[in-house]
Amino acid sequence: MPPSTNPRPPSRPSRPSHRSTLSLQKTEITIHVYDLLPPGKLSNALWALGTSLLHSGVVLNNKEYAYGGHDRPNLTGVYWTKPLTLPPGGTFRTEILHGFTLATEAEIDSIIRKASEEFLGTSYNLLTKNCNHFTSYLCEKLTGRPGPGWLNRAASIGVALPCVVPREWIEAPDFETHGNSGGGGLLEEESGDEYGEGSRMLRGSDEVPRLVGQEGRRWEGEGNNTHKGKGKARDEEGRVLPRAERAPTS
């Protein structure tokens, strides 16, 4: 008589673990940082001290989200561009891996939509509600941690000590000029690329910035004196916005 054997329990169908299911939803959150001061000793010194005038954008799923000001009521100032699109007069400084989010694509879209309602173009303020405040806000909503505080150190100093902060710390140069032109013609006018903050595309790119929720429109700047030189966009306290601080509007 053959020896008895213990019967094996019936096998259960394998199911993916909770951890592996969540890992499929993980999305990288990256911050791109740009220096808005002209390259040189001043900008290098301020960068080393952590007090430079900076622009930042949050990269999600191959789109870089940022915030700029404009004069259109009830219209968001949040827009997206191709990652590493240089703002007018800006220089790329660094990339920061801020973290990851386990939110689904639909949840991420909802967070961005709510942020776009919170950050209207007419609410833009160079010192208290700028592109770096938006970066910090969006990072916190996505990961539970705000963006690095040093991104807005110059603005924080400007709020605390407005009388001693150099103008260049809160107002980047409005235009770049030709080195071989006595009058210094405007590069942006020559190229015809007159969008807002983060608007000047890298050479050879045919993409333009898109306001969140307005992706079906192509922003040509027609009829908008903000970008045609007929007027100057201002923040909510009346400070003139450099082109690097303007969102695209039509």
Side-chain angles (χ1 to χ4, degrees), residues 63 65 75-76 78-81 109 112-113 116 208-219:
K63 290 182 179 180
Y65 292 90
L75 184 64
T76 185
V78 178
Y79 64 93
W80 61 267
T81 64
D109 289 343
I112 293 173
R113 185 173 62 253
S116 71
V208 295
R210 302 289 203 279
L211 285 176
V212 169
Q214 306 290 325
E215 284 83 352
R217 302 185 62 180
R218 184 175 179 85
W219 301 101

Side-chain angles (χ1 to χ4, degrees), residues 44-88:
N44 289 338
L46 293 178
W47 172 255
L49 294 171
T51 56
S52 190
L53 178 62
L54 302 174
H55 164 75
S56 62
V58 181
V59 181
L60 285 162
N61 297 323
N62 204 36
K63 290 182 179 180
E64 185 167 327
Y65 292 90
Y67 173 54
H70 58 66
D71 57 4
R72 299 300 177 92
N74 304 316
L75 184 64
T76 185
V78 178
Y79 64 93
W80 61 267
T81 64
K82 179 180 179 181
L84 294 177
T85 295
L86 296 177

